[in-house]
Amino acid sequence: MANIEQVQPRKGPSPVIQAGMLLLVTAAAIGVGWMSGGYLKGVGAPASVPVAPENEGKIMQPAAAEQPGLGPMLVVLAPITTNIASPAGTWIRMEVSVVYDAPQPQAMSDDIHQDLLALVRTLKMHQIEGASGYQHLKADLEERAAIRSQGHAKQVLIRTLLPE
């Protein structure tokens, strides 16, 4: 057996090596951050459009999607206040908006409102509890609105959801 005095404690890396490694890791982090920032900044930059020589200096008309009134349109629906299927006596108030790809007649918004009202009446409280319940409800509402509008409703925005 060895004497206790003969066993030498293990030394870690020297402070110089530790400082060098810290500087190396810091420089790598700064480089990766700078490169990813440059990449993300370049993603959102608008692409340059070449201009034909005969169109130089002329004012071009905006495309149909850029003209006012022809792009996406937000329609606020009337609040939905109704009782839900379970538990008995529980009411829910929901305010929603629908985003259309183009202006639509008011009758379509009324049909979507009635369809969403019918869907909400079939809900049970456990179906809308928590974040995943909210996401499932939103997906169901968007699916119903898209079916009722033949695909013109692109998104349903839930502004208020109050179970009472």
Side-chain angles (χ1 to χ4, degrees):
M1 288 190 40
N3 289 336
I4 295 176
E5 291 93 27
Q6 291 177 350
V7 177
Q8 294 180 355
R10 286 186 82 192
K11 285 185 166 182
S14 72
V16 174
I17 293 175
Q18 287 180 350
M21 291 302 291
L22 179 65
L23 288 174
L24 180 69
V25 169
T26 303
I30 291 171
V32 168
W34 179 73
M35 292 192 54
S36 63
Y39 172 75
L40 292 175
K41 187 176 178 183
V43 168
S48 62
V49 178
V51 178
E54 62 270 3
N55 291 336
E56 230 173 278
K58 292 183 181 177
I59 297 174
M60 303 299 290
Q61 293 296 324
E66 296 173 358
Q67 292 179 354
L70 296 180
M73 184 175 164
L74 179 74
V75 176
V76 178
L77 300 181
I80 296 172
T81 304
T82 186
N83 57 336
I84 60 175
S86 174
T90 303
W91 286 72
I92 194 166
R93 177 179 170 89
M94 186 167 64
E95 296 176 4
V96 297
S97 300
V98 180
V99 178
Y100 293 112
D101 56 357
Q104 300 297 323
Q106 181 62 33
M108 182 178 292
S109 296
D110 295 339
D111 290 343
I112 290 174
H113 179 269
Q114 291 302 314
D115 208 16
L116 298 183
L117 173 67
L119 173 70
V120 170
R121 291 188 61 127
T122 64
L123 291 176
K124 296 182 173 123
M125 185 59 85
H126 69 86
Q127 292 175 316
I128 58 174
E129 288 177 343
S132 62
Y134 173 78
Q135 288 178 339
H136 290 300
L137 173 64
K138 188 170 181 341
D140 290 343
L141 294 174
E142 287 179 349
E143 182 181 1
R144 283 276 184 112
I147 290 171
R148 179 62 69 179
S149 67
Q150 289 97 25
H152 291 291
K154 296 301 178 191
Q155 194 173 12
V156 174
L157 306 173
I158 300 175
R159 297 173 34 220
T160 306
L161 180 63
L162 294 172
E164 301 171 1

